[in-house]
Amino acid sequence: MTVLVEVSLAPNTTPAEALVALHDMRAMMKRQPGYLSDDFLQNINVGNAPRYVHVSHWVSMTYWAALFRTPEFSKLNTHGNEHYTISASAFVPAE
């Protein structure tokens, strides 16, 4: 399963502040069961949203959903919400 997360900066947040929070979240995700890989991409059109896109690959939706039940995710998500907003979508191969 592929998860696409669009990341936009919160008002009054610098890219550096957002990147610290995003990198902490990515590091935690990489330690979770079912995680396969990810890419973190920056929009080269600086004025456009989303500023960043995070694409992660998981064995299944079950593993990705389990991420949301971990205390570490909750803590990092609360911190991240101070610096960015996200819009997430999950995808599977089209038949």
Side-chain angles (χ1 to χ4, degrees):
M1 183 190 75
T2 299
V3 177
L4 176 77
V5 176
E6 296 178 346
V7 182
S8 297
L9 298 182
N12 303 318
T13 295
T14 67
E17 292 169 324
L19 286 174
V20 168
L22 288 162
H23 287 303
D24 290 347
M25 180 67 79
R26 287 180 64 216
M28 183 275 303
M29 289 174 64
K30 290 177 181 183
R31 297 189 303 271
Q32 300 308 304
Y35 166 87
L36 297 173
S37 66
D38 77 313
D39 290 301
F40 185 64
L41 310 168
Q42 181 175 343
N43 191 336
I44 60 172
N45 297 313
V46 178
N48 292 352
R51 182 69 182 261
Y52 304 100
V53 175
H54 180 243
V55 181
S56 59
H57 304 279
W58 297 82
V59 170
S60 70
M61 180 68 120
T62 302
Y63 286 107
W64 182 65
L67 170 73
F68 294 88
R69 295 188 295 273
T70 65
E72 187 178 7
F73 177 85
S74 295
K75 180 181 174 185
L76 291 171
N77 193 45
T78 298
H79 176 69
N81 287 337
E82 298 171 9
H83 302 290
Y84 53 79
T85 59
I86 65 167
S87 174
S89 301
F91 298 89
V92 295
E95 302 277 335

